[in-house]
């Protein structure tokens, strides 16, 4: 997957509903009637997709998970790539 630009501002699609679980979140996309179960790390990235930049999302993941920037960049890019492929972001 191509790396996303650090200034990109991913936002959640309005057709996606979020329901909390003990081990993450279930997202339901009513436009295509598909549910997605997110693990805790993907849930963190999802919650950060509120208009902040990808660079800010990476920094937040570094702080919350206490991991190196390079690892956070990989996690964020992979997770956002999956969200984009699933059409969960606008």
């Amino acid at each position: 997957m191509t790396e996303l630009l650090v200034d990109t501002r991913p936002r959640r699609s309005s057709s996606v509903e979020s329901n909390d679980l003990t081990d993450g979140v279930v997202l339901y996309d009513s436009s295509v009637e598909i549910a997605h179960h997110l693990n805790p790390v993907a849930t963190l990235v999802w919650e950060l997709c509120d208009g902040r930049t990808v660079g800010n999302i990476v920094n937040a993941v570094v702080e919350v998970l206490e991991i190196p920037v390079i690892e956070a960049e990989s996690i964020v890019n992979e997770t956002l790539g999956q969200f984009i492929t699933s059409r969960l972001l606008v």
Side-chain angles (χ1 to χ4, degrees), residues 22-41:
T22 57
D23 64 341
V25 165
V26 170
L27 304 178
Y28 178 72
D29 186 349
S30 59
S31 70
V32 290
E33 298 183 350
I34 294 178
H36 304 271
H37 180 248
L38 305 184
N39 66 31
V41 174

Side-chain angles (χ1 to χ4, degrees), residues 2 4 7 9 14 16 23 25 36 44 48 52 72 75 88:
T2 311
L4 298 168
D7 292 333
R9 294 180 181 270
S14 61
V16 178
D23 64 341
V25 165
H36 304 271
L44 170 62
L48 295 168
R52 65 185 83 199
I75 289 169
L88 299 171

Side-chain angles (χ1 to χ4, degrees), residues 16-89:
V16 178
E17 299 172 30
S18 176
N19 296 299
D20 294 334
L21 300 174
T22 57
D23 64 341
V25 165
V26 170
L27 304 178
Y28 178 72
D29 186 349
S30 59
S31 70
V32 290
E33 298 183 350
I34 294 178
H36 304 271
H37 180 248
L38 305 184
N39 66 31
V41 174
T43 298
L44 170 62
V45 175
W46 175 255
E47 291 172 351
L48 295 168
C49 292
D50 58 2
R52 65 185 83 199
T53 66
V54 171
N56 291 135
I57 293 170
V58 168
N59 291 336
V61 169
V62 166
E63 286 182 33
V64 171
L65 300 181
E66 299 178 348
I67 59 175
V69 171
I70 191 92
E71 188 176 341
E73 289 172 339
S74 177
I75 289 169
V76 169
N77 279 310
E78 177 66 28
T79 305
L80 291 178
Q82 291 174 357
F83 291 164
I84 290 166
T85 300
S86 299
R87 300 179 184 195
L88 299 171
L89 299 174

